[in-house]
């Protein structure tokens, strides 16, 4: 009888371990980002790797933004503009898909009103 309980306990522990291992990726938090001002906003939806920019002010100026990629490894370090995107003069928002990757990549999203003013930027992030 003790042998049956031991086997049952081993099977139970193995099943619990398998559930924990297979469920772990789903527990990772998304790294969503939003930058905004009185003229518009830019958002990053991490679960689908889509950046959206919206001009919300009918002032004759659009909004623009983009993503800067910083790559750093033991032998190479560089920054590049991954993409730029803008919106204005049309109905709706504009979107772009971009696969944000993890180490050794880091990213910063930036956003500005094309009529002037300061450019906003997020802290560096990665997946």
């Amino acid at each position: 009888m003790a042998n049956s309980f031991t086997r049952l306990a081993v099977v139970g522990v193995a099943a619990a371990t398998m559930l924990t291992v297979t469920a772990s990726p789903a527990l990772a938090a998304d790294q969503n980002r939003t930058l905004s001002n009185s003229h518009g906003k830019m958002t990053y939806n991490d679960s689908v790797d889509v950046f959206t920019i919206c001009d919300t002010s009918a002032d004759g100026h659009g909004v623009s933004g983009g993503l800067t990629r910083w790559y750093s490894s033991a032998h190479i370090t560089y920054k590049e503009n991954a993409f730029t995107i803008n919106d204005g003069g049309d109905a709706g928002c504009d979107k772009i898909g971009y696969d944000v990757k993890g180490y050794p990549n880091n990213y910063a999203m930036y956003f500005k009103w094309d009529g002037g003013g300061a450019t906003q930027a997020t802290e560096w992030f990665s997946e």
Side-chain angles (χ1 to χ4, degrees):
M1 177 89 105
N3 223 2
S4 295
F5 286 123
T6 303
R7 284 187 201 140
L8 185 59
V10 168
V11 169
V13 168
T17 302
M18 188 168 178
L19 283 174
T20 301
V21 169
T22 58
S24 292
L27 298 176
D30 285 335
Q31 299 288 323
N32 298 329
R33 303 279 191 266
T34 299
L35 296 171
S36 64
N37 60 27
S38 61
H39 304 283
K41 71 178 180 175
M42 184 170 173
T43 58
Y44 166 57
N45 184 335
D46 183 27
S47 65
V48 292
D49 280 333
V50 172
F51 292 81
T52 304
I53 192 164
C54 301
D55 179 9
T56 59
S57 180
D59 58 11
H61 298 284
V63 291
S64 59
L67 190 69
T68 300
R69 176 177 167 233
W70 172 39
Y71 177 89
S72 182
S73 70
H75 304 289
I76 303 169
T77 299
Y78 65 89
K79 279 187 198 178
E80 67 179 358
N81 191 26
F83 68 82
T84 58
I85 185 172
N86 56 50
D87 187 48
D90 63 353
C93 302
D94 288 350
K95 297 180 181 186
I96 188 169
Y98 185 87
D99 186 15
V100 171
K101 299 178 182 175
Y103 180 81
N105 299 285
N106 286 290
Y107 301 87
M109 183 173 80
Y110 60 90
F111 172 76
K112 71 181 185 95
W113 176 54
D114 295 337
T119 299
Q120 300 177 43
T122 63
E123 297 289 326
W124 290 101
F125 65 94
S126 65
E127 286 193 336

